[in-house]
Amino acid sequence: MKSPLIALMTLGLCLPLLAQNKPKPDAAKRNVEWQKEEMCQFVFFAVLEGLYRDGIQNEIVDAIIGEKILKKDDKVKTHFVFRCKLCHATYEAFRTYRNRPAFMQTKGATTFGKGSDLKLLKKLGSKDARTRIYAMGALVRPWIMHRIKETRKTPEEKTAMKKQFSKYAQEGANLLKTHKRAKDGFYLDWSFYGSCQACEAAKDLGKAGF
Ligand SMILES: [Zn+2]
């Protein structure tokens, strides 16, 4: 009987030591830990799935992931709120899709759908933040709804999701306020409702049929 108890006690002693290995506060400030959160994973898969299903072209993806922006940290800032968890989950799905391999024995096919209208590129590259972000949102929001339908969420689960989306949206809005004050050349003209398009899915959830 003694040895399991000792093992437990030893574990109890080790846990605080393990906890000390956490990243230092400075590093934590820069990092965005979205990966382990259920809602973020849900959005990540919804976007990745949508990109494949619709066969979105690389030109469109490049416009969204800030391919032309040189500074690594700034790439996310053309269409997303920096450090907003749902924004980063969405952004990383676009990046993952962009790095997809070609299917073998298919003459280089890499995706499923026929692609989107390339006219979208003009809107995605617009200097007007609202135009740019809503163009991206028009892609992403139906994908999130698609996955909610596909996973057959119960009314209770939908209500819970809606609440969570709102929580993320609030965090995103607070971050955006801070970014605006930083005046680093980004976000100054983001003066419109719905800056986080993944969080905006909360509104879609409130519509009839959901
Ligand atoms: Zn966001």
Side-chain angles (χ1 to χ4, degrees), residues 126-156:
S126 170
K127 284 203 173 115
D128 174 59
R130 195 181 190 278
T131 306
R132 199 166 68 227
I133 287 136
Y134 272 61
M136 181 274 295
L139 288 173
V140 166
R141 284 164 67 174
W143 292 338
I144 296 172
M145 283 307 109
H146 188 105
R147 191 167 160 84
I148 288 168
K149 262 190 202 169
E150 208 173 47
T151 50
R152 299 182 185 211
K153 301 281 177 216
T154 64
E156 292 76 28

Side-chain angles (χ1 to χ4, degrees), residues 80-88 90 168-169 171-173 175 195-199:
F80 304 94
V81 177
F82 184 52
R83 296 189 60 225
C84 165
K85 287 176 179 173
L86 281 186
C87 280
H88 278 262
T90 309
Y168 281 109
E171 283 173 17
L175 281 166
S195 44
C196 173
Q197 284 297 306
C199 302

